[in-house]
Amino acid sequence: MKTIIEPFRIKSVEPIRLTSRPERERLAREAGYNLFGLHSDDVLIDLLTDSGTGAMSSLQWAAVMKGDESYAGSPSFFRFEAAVQNLMPFKHIIPTHQGRAAEAILFSIFGGKGKRIPSNTHFDTTRGNIEASGAIGDDLVIAEGKDPQSLHPFKGNMDLARLEAYLTEHHESVPLVMITITNNAGGGQPVSLANIRAVADLAHRFGKPFLIDGCRFAENAWFIKTREEGQADRSIPEIVRDCFSVADGMTMSAKKDAFGNIGGWLALNDDDLAEEARGHLIRTEGFPTYGGLAGRDLDALAQGLVEIVDEDYLRYRIRTHQYIVERLDAMGVPVVKPAGGHAVFIDARAWLSHIPPLEYPGQALAVALYEIAGVRSCEIGTAMFGRQPDGSEKPAAMDLVRLAFPRRTYTQSHADYIVEAFEELAATKDDLRGYRIVKEPKLMRHFTCRFEKL
Ligand code: F0G
């Protein structure tokens, strides 16, 4: 059989409320055309993020009942620790309430004024934690990673020549080298095993620890298995172990590739650093055997880590985005290619070329998609990144719209509905108008600013 089906059946359903187009137009207007301002029960298909929005399995819900809420030494922690170490052979596993808490602890140790931290592309919260410590984050992804049309199989790879030059130039000020798998900010694009090993070698040659931001490690491993020479016959857990065995530590948001609604961890091999990290953990998150989590969450994650490396799941997962990208591409919608591991990215600046970047073509597309079909996506462009530290505004590098897919949550007919929404949009897109911002906060404006239609 050629059809790749959802490899699960549905035991518990969560109804979505069907809304009409006039109702959605009113709701969008009332929210100041900012989709973060919508109530989620007014959204039909919510593709705002793949983080914490996945469906837990029946075995994960059963594991929730096994959760032991002891303050110290809970068996839930030891089950969680063993599940992590089965895939990521680090000595110290430090649970946190989500990924950014692990980052905050990491950079309170390694950050500070005058420091510089390279990665392929830092995620916003990683960059935020680096900058809050006074340090600078630098993105050294390969050139193909910034070209929406390049078909390079590993567009998340680090540019090794640039990294070597960077480590030579900034040797004294670099406390560690990072890499993000998959490269979320660059379109959910994967990093090859060869590149991970080469980055680890370079970091170690310069005497620097190498850490992986592993949020979407299983999706990344699937791309390694299916695209990298010599990997096709290896199991996903084997590939995952290879990726992490060359690293000195990792940060993790368990809201992605651990099937959690909440959770994260920091892992380290070095005993002294782990002791320091646990000191921060106790001050800000909780005792080292629960971090910022309940025992039941730890048990759900332990089971989630078993399920996420299942090949039938990963084949279906990656195919969903490929299917939508193929259909949109055939319709002439400019999409980031190849499809990413967790999301479909539309190049709104190219598609709505009549709307100048400072009138937010990405926002125009995201709002239209909600008004027409009730689908909530996220602008990743000038509304998000346009405001400069000196108060001026300039176009972001790209105006993209991200459709991020919650894990195991939507079905094939939802995917077809999304494609149909783009067919309708294609017929009317030239009538879409841009926006102006009428109210914005000083920081991270895209979450709360209000827009007006031009
Ligand atoms: N690193 C990456 C690559 C991420 O994508 C995220 C979160 C984090 C770290 C932070 O983890 O949310 O658990 O604190 N990404 C979400 C997203 C929010 O929508 O892409 P967190």
Side-chain angles (χ1 to χ4, degrees), residues 2 10 72 86 99 136 193 203 223 235 246-247 311 326 362 372 380 406 446:
K2 286 198 295 293
I10 296 166
N86 178 43
I136 295 172
L193 179 56
F223 286 120
S235 76
V246 295
E311 292 194 8
E326 281 165 16
I372 287 178
I380 302 198
H446 57 285

Side-chain angles (χ1 to χ4, degrees), residues 36 47-52 96-103 121-126 129 178-185 213-216 251-256 261-264 342 378 380 402 404 447:
F36 284 99
L47 308 181
L48 189 62
T49 179
D50 64 319
S51 181
T96 58
H97 80 278
Q98 58 184 82
R100 65 199 70 184
E103 295 162 3
T121 315
H122 292 290
F123 180 66
D124 330 9
T125 59
T126 321
N129 276 299
M178 263 189 114
I179 205 161
T180 310
I181 61 172
T182 59
N183 189 19
N184 179 10
D213 172 343
C215 297
R216 299 178 179 86
T251 55
M252 177 74 188
S253 168
K255 301 170 74 171
K256 285 88 168 171
N261 297 127
I262 196 73
H342 68 295
C378 184
I380 302 198
R402 182 180 84 166
F447 289 121

Side-chain angles (χ1 to χ4, degrees), residues 101-112 129 133 276-277 280 283:
E103 295 162 3
I105 294 173
L106 182 69
F107 293 111
S108 64
I109 299 173
F110 282 103
N129 276 299
S133 80
E276 196 177 341
H280 286 280
R283 188 164 52 79

Side-chain angles (χ1 to χ4, degrees), residues 365-423:
L365 177 56
V367 173
L369 193 56
Y370 175 69
E371 289 178 337
I372 287 178
V375 174
R376 176 157 69 169
S377 55
C378 184
E379 191 260 15
I380 302 198
T382 305
M384 192 179 270
F385 300 122
R387 183 64 69 204
Q388 306 303 301
D390 67 3
S392 65
E393 191 181 28
K394 66 173 202 203
M398 293 193 272
D399 279 294
L400 300 178
V401 169
R402 182 180 84 166
L403 311 179
F405 287 77
R407 292 169 182 76
R408 300 191 295 207
T409 304
Y410 295 114
T411 66
Q412 177 71 29
S413 93
H414 293 108
D416 287 327
Y417 177 90
I418 292 159
V419 172
E420 188 190 334
F422 274 92
E423 280 164 7

